[in-house]
């Protein structure tokens, strides 16, 4: 069984920065792509950024130039540096890993528990 544990959320003023982390633990698995999603109150969950195993990144237009996603394959950890934060970035942020394992065929999606990011104006 794979578990994802997130950290790094919090309260910050507009223009400030936060760094999110998401670490995977378990046995006998490999990680394919990794991504960050977010969900604001009353809104659908949306993809913020994603990164392939080889390091190719894509971003939502709303965060381009402000957020930076990265991964450490050795530590099985995903990061997201968030700069110049805006009140509209306020949401619960979730990490999402696509994971392969010898215990099952194909790839499965795993989600972190979510971490609250609140940006005050």
């Amino acid at each position: 069984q794979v578990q994802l544990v997130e950290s790094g959320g919090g309260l910050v003023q507009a223009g400030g920065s936060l760094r999110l982390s998401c670490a995977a633990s378990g046995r006998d698995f490999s990680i394919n792509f990794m991504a960050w999603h977010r969900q604001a109150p009353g809104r659908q969950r949306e993809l913020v950024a994603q990164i392939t195993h080889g390091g190719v990144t894509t971003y939502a237009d709303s965060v381009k130039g402000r957020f930076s996603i990265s991964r450490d394959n050795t530590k099985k950890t995903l990061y997201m540096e968030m700069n110049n934060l805006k009140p509209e970035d306020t949401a619960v942020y979730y990490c999402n890993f696509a994971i392969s394992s010898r215990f099952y065929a194909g790839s499965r999606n795993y989600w972190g528990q979510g971490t609250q990011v609140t940006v005050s104006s």
Side-chain angles (χ1 to χ4, degrees), residues 89-100:
D89 294 318
T90 296
V92 177
Y93 284 71
Y94 298 91
C95 58
N96 165 222
F97 291 8
I99 289 177
S100 300

Side-chain angles (χ1 to χ4, degrees), residues 9-107:
L11 173 64
V12 64
Q13 288 187 333
S17 299
L18 285 173
R19 188 188 194 217
L20 304 182
S21 299
C22 179
S25 62
R27 293 176 52 214
D28 298 324
F29 67 94
S30 60
I31 304 170
N32 303 319
F33 81 82
M34 297 169 155
W36 288 101
H37 298 249
R38 67 186 180 187
Q39 188 166 18
R43 302 188 66 177
Q44 288 189 331
R45 191 174 295 189
E46 63 172 350
L47 176 65
V48 177
Q50 63 183 31
I51 183 168
T52 68
H53 188 273
V56 177
T57 59
T58 55
Y59 296 91
D61 288 343
S62 59
V63 306
K64 281 181 182 176
R66 301 188 298 121
F67 290 13
S68 178
I69 189 172
S70 61
R71 62 190 284 171
D72 185 325
N73 291 328
T74 300
K75 294 182 178 179
K76 298 182 178 178
T77 300
L78 175 69
Y79 305 97
M80 187 159 70
E81 192 75 35
M82 304 185 294
N83 298 312
N84 190 22
L85 283 159
K86 303 176 181 181
E88 50 264 43
D89 294 318
T90 296
V92 177
Y93 284 71
Y94 298 91
C95 58
N96 165 222
F97 291 8
I99 289 177
S100 300
S101 171
R102 67 180 182 88
F103 297 113
Y104 52 80
S107 180

